[in-house]
Amino acid sequence: MSSPEHKQKIWNLIKDIQVGMLVTLDEDVPRARPMHLVQDEYDGTIWFYTRRSSEKVLEAKGDSEICLTFSDQEEGVYVSMSGTARITDDQAIIDKYWNPGVAAWLPEKEDPDVVMLEIDIKMGEHWAAKESKVFQLYEMAKANIKSDKTPDIGENEKFGG
């Protein structure tokens, strides 16, 4: 598991990206769809609103394994997280994260079809470029010329697991 400091680091990487790609298994076939963050902090759990009748709910039944990715090409930030997904219809949780953006997609928070997808993150990896795109291109070109050198284009760290 990640330390509180590392969880804050992950949150700082993903909070401005806002939309992640959630990958579930549809039988044996991976399937990805965009999901919007609704929380204001990260403690090892990611929450998303969805409809009980959605296919992702069927795919997430019974602590299903998922992958969640966030990317911001402009900033050179990439985060991949793996964990387990569960569905909850706990009204206190639904109320906690409700906001006008959610209401645009799901007009009635008391609707029995509105549920939360709770994702407990077990492990992941993140990459963050420390330099500009021009510098990254320079590093890649330099690495191509010197076959024994890999480009130094930023930070890469695994966590959890």
Side-chain angles (χ1 to χ4, degrees), residues 4-16:
E5 295 80 18
H6 192 263
K7 288 176 184 170
Q8 185 61 47
K9 181 178 190 172
I10 295 300
W11 181 247
N12 288 338
L13 290 171
I14 69 173
K15 69 181 179 182
D16 292 331

Side-chain angles (χ1 to χ4, degrees), residues 27-41:
E27 295 185 19
D28 290 330
V29 178
R31 182 169 176 209
R33 77 265 294 155
M35 301 293 288
H36 198 281
L37 288 173
V38 294
Q39 62 211 68
D40 294 326
E41 60 186 6

Side-chain angles (χ1 to χ4, degrees), residues 8 12 18 25 28-29 36 40-41 45 50-51 61 63 65 75 84 101-102 105 108 110 118 122 133 150 156 161:
Q8 185 61 47
N12 288 338
Q18 288 292 303
L25 285 177
D28 290 330
V29 178
H36 198 281
D40 294 326
E41 60 186 6
T45 302
T50 190
R51 293 186 183 280
K61 291 244 188 222
D63 292 336
E65 297 295 320
E75 296 297 322
T84 54
V102 174
W105 292 99
E108 301 286 331
E110 291 82 15
E118 175 185 6
K122 305 297 183 211
K133 295 282 184 207
T150 58
N156 171 235

Side-chain angles (χ1 to χ4, degrees), residues 34-62:
M35 301 293 288
H36 198 281
L37 288 173
V38 294
Q39 62 211 68
D40 294 326
E41 60 186 6
Y42 170 68
D43 63 359
T45 302
I46 299 286
W47 297 92
F48 296 118
Y49 284 92
T50 190
R51 293 186 183 280
R52 185 185 310 272
S53 57
S54 73
E55 291 171 335
K56 71 183 128 329
V57 167
L58 294 173
E59 296 160 6
K61 291 244 188 222

Side-chain angles (χ1 to χ4, degrees), residues 16-156:
D16 292 331
I17 299 171
Q18 288 292 303
V19 176
M21 292 299 290
L22 174 69
V23 181
T24 59
L25 285 177
D26 182 0
E27 295 185 19
D28 290 330
V29 178
R31 182 169 176 209
R33 77 265 294 155
M35 301 293 288
H36 198 281
L37 288 173
V38 294
Q39 62 211 68
D40 294 326
E41 60 186 6
Y42 170 68
D43 63 359
T45 302
I46 299 286
W47 297 92
F48 296 118
Y49 284 92
T50 190
R51 293 186 183 280
R52 185 185 310 272
S53 57
S54 73
E55 291 171 335
K56 71 183 128 329
V57 167
L58 294 173
E59 296 160 6
K61 291 244 188 222
D63 292 336
S64 295
E65 297 295 320
I66 61 87
C67 181
L68 180 60
T69 65
F70 292 87
S71 70
D72 181 343
Q73 288 183 306
E74 292 296 316
E75 296 297 322
V77 173
Y78 305 91
V79 180
S80 175
M81 301 191 246
S82 298
T84 54
R86 279 186 296 287
I87 304 305
T88 182
D89 57 5
D90 182 332
Q91 194 62 46
I93 300 289
I94 292 170
D95 291 344
K96 179 178 179 179
Y97 297 112
W98 194 261
N99 64 60
V102 174
W105 292 99
L106 304 166
E108 301 286 331
K109 68 179 174 178
E110 291 82 15
D111 182 339
D113 198 37
V114 173
V115 294
M116 299 294 291
L117 186 60
E118 175 185 6
I119 301 174
D120 291 323
I121 303 302
K122 305 297 183 211
M123 58 186 274
E125 190 167 5
H126 61 86
W127 302 260
K130 62 184 179 185
E131 303 290 347
S132 70
K133 295 282 184 207
V134 171
F135 181 82
Q136 292 175 45
L137 290 171
Y138 165 76
E139 282 291 308
M140 287 186 271
K142 186 169 72 172
N144 281 331
I145 293 169
K146 297 179 179 181
S147 61
D148 63 336
K149 182 159 174 46
T150 58
D152 179 14
I153 57 173
E155 176 184 308
N156 171 235

